[in-house]
Amino acid sequence: MANNLNVVEAVRQGLDEELARDEGVIVYGEDVGVNGGVFRATQGLLEKYPDQVYDSPLAEAGIIGTGVGLATYGLTPVPEIQFAGFIDQGFHQLKQHVSRLRSRSRGRFNCQMTVRAPYGGGIHALEHHSESFEAGYAHVQGIKVVVPSTPADTKGLLTASIRDPDPVVFLEPMRIYRRFREDVPEGDHTVPLGEATVRREGDDVTVISWGAMMWETLRAVEDAEASVEAIDLRTISPLDTETVVESVRKTGRCVVVHEAPRTAGMAAEVIARLNEEAFLYLEAPVERVTGYDLPFPLFAREERYIPDRERILGGIEMVVDF
C-alpha cells in the first residue's frame, strides 16, 4: 500500500507511525502541539498522542538540552526547531553534550535523539530563517546529518533516524515541503542512513546534490546536452564516498551543487575525497555550483543567491567542455 504524499505530509506520517510504534518516542518543540507546527508537520498528533506530544518554551538551547536528559532516561526525543537558523541558540548543546554523550560516558549512555528542522531558502522568509549549515553539523563528530529530497525518502530516512541509537540532525528542505507528490509506502518504511542513491543514470558527467537542490538539479539536467548521472547524497554525514567515487570513475567529470555558502561547504569535502580516490580518472577539474559567501539575502534577492537551472547547466557545460 502507498499514499500519494508531499514532503511535509511524509514527515507527519513518519512521526505518526513512530509515536504509535513506541510510546517512548516524544515529539516536542515550539508550537508543535496545539498549532501543529509552523508548517503543520505535526498537525493532529497532539490529539492522537496527548502523552507524547508537547509544546515547549521558545528556547532552542532548552529544547535540545532537554533531549539529552530524556535520552539518558531511556526515552527517544524528537524535538523540532522551528527554523534551522535558530539551532545556533542550542548549538553548544549539540556539540558539547548531544554529540559526545556516548563517548563521555564510556558507552554507559547514548543519545537516541533526532533534531528536526526546516532549512534552506526559497520561501521568502525573514533573516535567520533560510540557513544551510549542513557542513557545520557534519563537522561535529558523533552526529549524523540527514537531508531528504523526496517524500518517500523523507519518511524512510526520518524513521531510520528516530530508530538510530545515536543523535541525528534531520534537515527538511522547506522549499519543497509542498512542491510535488509521490507514492510513499505505508507502514514500516526505512531508508538506510549513510547511503546515497543514483536518481538518474548517465555516462558523461556526474552531478551530486541533496535536499531542495537535488530537485532543482534534476529539473536542470533535463535540458543538458550531455548524459548526466545525478546522485542524491541523502546523508551528509556519514558521506557515501563509495557511490560518489564509483560514478566519477565511470564519467570522469563531476559537478557538486548546494545552496550553502561556497567556502568550506560540503562540495569541498566531496572534491577532497575524489582527489584521494578518483584523481587519475578525472578528465576535468570538479566544478562547484553553490550559494555565495554572504549572509542569506532577504527575499527580494534570494532567487539570485540560490543555484538555478542556468547556473547548474553552466557548471555542467564547463566540465564537459574542459
Side-chain angles (χ1 to χ4, degrees), residues 36-97:
V38 67
F39 291 101
R40 304 296 180 262
T42 54
Q43 192 167 39
L45 298 182
L46 174 63
E47 290 76 13
K48 293 182 70 174
Y49 309 99
D51 295 329
Q52 294 172 260
V53 179
Y54 298 93
D55 280 318
S56 74
L58 197 163
E60 286 77 11
I63 291 171
I64 296 175
T66 298
V68 179
L70 292 170
T72 305
Y73 194 69
L75 300 171
T76 305
V78 187
E80 176 186 292
I81 301 297
Q82 205 165 73
F83 289 89
F86 294 97
I87 291 181
D88 295 356
Q89 315 303 326
F91 187 74
H92 73 290
Q93 290 288 345
L94 275 177
K95 187 172 189 303
Q96 297 178 356
H97 301 296

Side-chain angles (χ1 to χ4, degrees), residues 10-11 13-18 21 25 76 78 112 114 146 152-165 168 170 184-185 187-193:
V11 171
Q13 186 174 96
L15 292 173
D16 190 348
E17 293 179 1
E18 287 306 287
R21 181 187 64 84
V25 173
T76 305
V78 187
Q112 186 168 353
T114 298
V146 178
D153 267 9
T154 297
K155 178 182 174 182
L157 289 166
L158 178 59
T159 302
S161 297
I162 294 172
R163 297 179 185 181
D164 194 277
V168 176
F170 192 85
V184 177
D188 206 47
H189 168 57
T190 60
V191 174
L193 305 185

